[in-house]
Amino acid sequence: MYDLKKGYEVAKEYYAQYGIDVDQMMERCDQTPLSMHCWQGDDVRGLEKREGGLNGGIQTTGDYPGAARNAEELRADIEKAMQFIPGVLKVNLHASYQEADTFVDRNAIKPEHFANWADWAVEKGLGLDFNPTYFSHPKSENGTLSAADEEVRKFWIEHGIACRRIGEYFYKRTGKPCVINHWTPDGDKEFPIDTLGPRLRLKDSYDRIFEATKDVEGVIDGIESKVFGIGMESFTAGSHEFCMGYVMSKGIDHIIMTLDTGHYHPTEVVSAKLGAIFAFSKAVLLHVSRPVRWDSDHVVAFDDETKAIMEELVRLGKLDSTYIATDFFDASINRIAAWVIGLRNTRKALLQALLQPVDMMKKAEADGDVSGRLAIAQEFKAAPFSLVWDYYCDKQNKGVGLDWLEDVRAYEKDVLLKR
Ligand code: RNT
Ligand code: ZN
């Protein structure tokens, strides 16, 4: 290992030339919560005591050994990954990760079915976020909250209501707000003749869920849009226009938009949407993912778009108004490695974004110095960032560079391969 302290001192001096306080930014980065999704650990299978695979237009591909088979294994795997992920973390659960003794259907889930998760989170000092599971269920085949069948729609409204109550329970147990993400896969393989009816039903369902749970405290609700799902290529009820319209028309602080980086047309980017949304909304929920040609949910990379999103949040001064969650599921590699790589990359992009000379660039812009603005922004792309990142990881005792890899390999040998 090279001299981390020396590297950090050099970087600190480099950034100081541009008025950037590295220590302050490391602290800022560290205190920004990232919500780590539980579903990377078992390929979105969940813990319900019933048969049936993943559906709803999303897919995991690959059959790497060692997926978690029960709650204990999943929690152990999350803890293992967390050993190498710096900064404040929350854990993001889906309703399908209930731990009832016998089968309990989605509309009947209660806080008690999530008590083990809450106990564990309290013990570890973690916040919990939540997601209704409007997919992978026999009743989700012909729509959920937008279903034409009123019995089916009622079932899913009850699920949404149950989930908001569980969110409040998490808030009360952990003392930290629970961010709930509502995503429905509802759509059609072909373009429907009636494209308005499903939207009006979806709108009415959300209204009923929120109306019935008006008393719920400590919960923030993201409404997640999507462009298409596998098998539902032509129509999505919860499209971007629908979700944005819904959130904006409600004008209620706890109802916000969820932007998933894989849910747009290939040349559309989330980083370019944030400035417009913040003109109307106080907060936003992000699902950081990596689409490769489609909404493939590859592990988050330290790529241009992830960096651009974080840069934009810092430039807008909206880091504190943004809930950052990860959402990917790769079954073709070691699942702990997937978490470590994806969450570290998300945090890394955030730290790099905090180390940009925002004031300097803003001043150039205000002065009409467009050449200077471009020059400064470009210069910073090659700043000695990794020296700060390594030092930060070491300071947090989360492993420098590839330190984590050997450990994760040993865990694979000793634990995962024995499953
Ligand atoms: C699906 C959405 C959704 C899911 C999770 C499992 O396209 O992105 O957020 O990935 O709820
Ligand atoms: Zn998502």
Side-chain angles (χ1 to χ4, degrees), residues 39 181 183 224 258 260 263 287 289 297 327:
W39 50 91
N181 180 58
W183 170 70
E224 185 179 26
T258 304
D260 182 309
H263 288 197
H287 269 193
S289 188
D297 290 290
D327 180 16

Side-chain angles (χ1 to χ4, degrees), residues 55-68:
N55 66 31
I58 54 177
Q59 275 182 8
T60 51
T61 53
D63 58 357
Y64 202 85

